[in-house]
Amino acid sequence: MAQIKTVYLISHTHTDIGYTDHQPTVFRQHLDFIDQAIELGEATADYPVESRYKWTCEVTSFVERYFRERPAKQIDRFLALHKRGQMAVAAMEYHWTPLLSTAAMIRSLFPVARLRRDYGLKIETAMQCDVDGASWLWADLLPKIGINAFTMSINMYRGRRPAPDLNAFWWQGPGGDRLLTFNGPHYLYGIFRYGLGDMETVEKLLPDQLAKLEARDDYPYDFLYAQVTHPARVDNGPPLPNLSEFVRDWNAAGRTPRMEFVTVDEFGSMLHERYANQIFTWQGDWADWWADGPASSAYETALNRSTEELLPLVDLLATQINTLDDQLIEDAYHEVSLYDEHTWGGFASTRRPHAPFTRSVWNHKAGYAFRGYGLTHELLAQGGRALVRNITGVVPEGEKWRRWGQYVASDPSSDPTSHRFLVINPLSWTRHVRY
């Protein structure tokens, strides 16, 4: 039992690839949200430090897209705020279901390396929002690339947070690494349960929530963690523009507990500094109970999973020949990964399953699986034939021009060089093949 002395506010928008809008629209909207956050950050740069506007980009995918599509002057504004601690980037490429393969999990962390290398970004914490669980391997992979904290904000609509909830723990991975993890509240709690951003609402809602926490024997912290989204649109929504004024005025009036704007990195650092030696360790997979999405599209799910099994073979072929396009390989991984991203359907999918919006959103979602399948098989065919030519010096079947009809000079099956096939083992152990 501890008295709550500080409320830590993290301003962000929840990232759904789809759901509120068509997927291409969502990709464009999120870049606009970063523009708006930059304006707010610069406008409040002279506010008291705890009330300066800070924005956390939930996922790396939009930050990379932002740097590709925005002019250099705008990128410089982003980087200046980042250096001042007002703009943070979390480490996940998207919010993932457990469908993501090991190879794709690793590939999804490449943007972290690129953003650090190309722009000098400091990325130390990962966020997973809305999903009920996270694959156990993240507890090993994230520390390997210097991510030292992980926050979860589970949607309890059809799932539950592990108990004790709203708590931190060391999550030990199957390989022995461990990750400081915060099992936090849902991202809409800041607005709808705590009332943050509006003086009248917060006076009605916050005291009861604080009292419940302070009465718990299993809550040893003197803070409340609150992710804050826009009340008009908690998913894929813009920054809430009055938050800095709310924090400034609340603190200036001497109200308690004290409010403080932080980024997700600052929150993770606080946990390490103050609580890392006091918290328990858990091991095991963090099961995701929202499996109805993948099950509702069983054919596409099976297709996508079979495609993901083949992508490491494309990687292997790329190490043996120099003709495969690296960008196409990236594109193949990205397509199948977007199918594994957590958003399934639009907001009206169950109420209006045949509406044009519902069908359009699903067309995009299913398209990720089919485009990934097509591109992966194109790369496999191209890479496999190139490797055959390199090893045997023989033009593989399908690339040799044959005459037809009365002009056929010989039966191709009579050529002894056509009685061979190449077997490639993409695994790290020896396999015996019988034929």
Side-chain angles (χ1 to χ4, degrees):
M1 301 174 68
Q3 181 182 3
I4 305 300
K5 298 178 180 178
T6 307
V7 176
Y8 292 115
L9 292 81
I10 292 181
S11 184
H12 70 112
T13 185
H14 173 57
T15 307
D16 274 317
I17 308 302
Y19 189 68
T20 59
D21 273 299
H22 305 95
Q23 288 88 334
T25 305
V26 169
F27 280 110
R28 288 188 291 271
Q29 288 174 339
H30 276 261
L31 305 198
D32 293 336
F33 300 156
I34 295 175
D35 285 335
Q36 296 172 37
I38 289 174
E39 296 289 340
L40 290 169
E42 292 176 343
T44 60
D46 295 329
Y47 280 29
V49 63
E50 68 276 2
S51 60
R52 293 172 188 167
Y53 191 85
K54 297 179 178 181
W55 179 256
T56 294
C57 303
E58 272 191 347
V59 295
T60 58
S61 59
F62 290 121
V63 178
E64 283 208 300
R65 185 180 290 259
Y66 190 86
F67 288 167
R68 286 197 305 268
E69 298 186 9
R70 288 301 192 259
K73 183 181 295 187
Q74 194 69 358
I75 295 171
D76 289 341
R77 296 174 72 191
F78 182 108
L79 295 176
L81 284 174
H82 178 73
K83 291 178 181 177
R84 292 204 297 265
Q86 291 180 255
M87 183 73 71
V89 180
M92 292 297 207
E93 187 178 22
Y94 296 105
H95 300 303
W96 299 117
T97 67
L99 292 175
L100 201 65
S101 68
T102 300
M105 291 171 74
I106 294 170
R107 201 87 181 195
S108 76
L109 297 175
F110 284 12
V112 174
R114 291 193 292 261
L115 290 169
R116 286 170 172 170
R117 179 196 65 202
D118 298 339
Y119 299 98
L121 292 190
K122 181 181 179 182
I123 304 174
E124 297 181 338
T125 306
M127 301 175 72
Q128 179 93 323
C129 294
D130 207 27
V131 189
D132 281 6
S135 297
W136 190 11
L137 193 56
W138 291 120
D140 282 324
L141 291 179
L142 291 172
K144 292 293 187 186
I145 65 165
I147 302 303
N148 58 32
F150 181 47
T151 66
M152 285 284 288
S153 51
I154 287 173
N155 189 333
M156 297 176 66
Y157 178 60
R158 289 194 305 277
R160 291 294 181 266
R161 283 190 298 269
D165 64 353
L166 311 187
N167 240 302
F169 63 95
W170 285 107
W171 191 14
Q172 185 168 332
D177 280 299
R178 64 178 193 166
L179 179 64
L180 185 58
T181 302
F182 192 74
N183 178 26
H186 189 256
Y187 53 87
L188 59 75
Y189 277 24
I191 293 293
F192 295 115
R193 285 206 178 182
Y194 308 146
L196 300 173
D198 180 76
M199 289 292 183
E200 183 178 346
T201 307
V202 78
E203 288 175 350
K204 293 178 180 178
L205 299 181
L206 187 60
D208 183 58
Q209 296 295 326
L210 295 179
K212 289 179 180 178
L213 281 180
E214 291 174 344
R216 283 176 46 176
D217 292 331
D218 60 356
Y219 191 82
Y221 315 107
D222 64 357
F223 66 82
L224 172 68
Y225 171 79
Q227 295 174 213
V228 182
T229 55
H230 199 293
R233 191 168 179 176
V234 297
D235 300 326
N236 298 325
L240 185 57
N242 70 314
L243 270 183
S244 285
E245 286 73 18
F246 168 78
V247 173
R248 180 195 62 190
D249 296 346
W250 175 279
N251 291 337
R255 296 171 182 252
T256 59
R258 190 168 183 79
M259 302 280 180
E260 184 176 340
F261 244 129
V262 295
T263 64
V264 72
D265 283 338
E266 290 173 328
F267 179 71
S269 295
M270 182 277 296
L271 286 178
H272 272 277
E273 292 169 7
R274 297 182 55 194
Y275 297 102
N277 296 325
Q278 306 174 28
I279 59 178
F280 50 89
T281 298
W282 277 348
Q283 289 181 275
D285 194 22
W286 200 334
D288 176 13
W289 295 101
W290 276 28
D292 47 354
S296 71
S297 49
Y299 179 85
E300 289 84 356
T301 298
L303 179 71
N304 207 61
R305 288 175 69 82
S306 66
T307 301
E308 285 192 78
E309 291 179 358
L310 295 173
L311 277 169
L313 182 54
V314 175
D315 287 330
L316 176 61
L317 288 170
T319 68
Q320 305 300 310
I321 59 174
N322 58 10
T323 57
L324 284 182
D325 188 323
D326 290 340
Q327 186 56 54
L328 287 181
I329 298 175
E330 287 288 331
D331 292 345
Y333 269 102
H334 197 225
E335 293 288 350
V336 298
S337 295
L338 278 169
Y339 185 83
D340 293 336
E341 190 271 337
H342 82 296
T343 311
W344 240 268
F347 69 92
S349 294
T350 57
R351 296 191 299 274
R352 297 180 179 178
H354 303 298
F357 172 76
T358 300
R359 289 175 178 267
S360 176
V361 169
W362 173 243
N363 178 271
H364 279 289
K365 180 70 172 183
Y368 295 134
F370 288 107
R371 287 191 296 273
Y373 166 84
L375 187 50
T376 298
H377 282 267
E378 175 189 346
L379 291 166
L380 282 174
Q382 180 185 351
R385 288 170 175 169
L387 184 59
V388 166
R389 287 194 300 271
N390 289 352
I391 293 175
T392 67
V394 176
V395 178
E397 184 180 0
E399 294 188 10
K400 185 183 297 185
W401 181 81
R402 296 179 188 165
R403 292 171 292 173
W404 56 89
Q406 67 269 34
Y407 298 108
V408 173
S410 63
D411 182 356
S413 64
S414 63
D415 182 358
T417 63
S418 69
H419 300 166
R420 298 186 291 179
F421 57 91
L422 178 66
V423 177
I424 302 173
N425 177 21
L427 304 176
S428 58
W429 59 87
T430 301
R431 300 177 68 188
H432 297 282
V433 178
R434 294 184 179 181
Y435 60 92

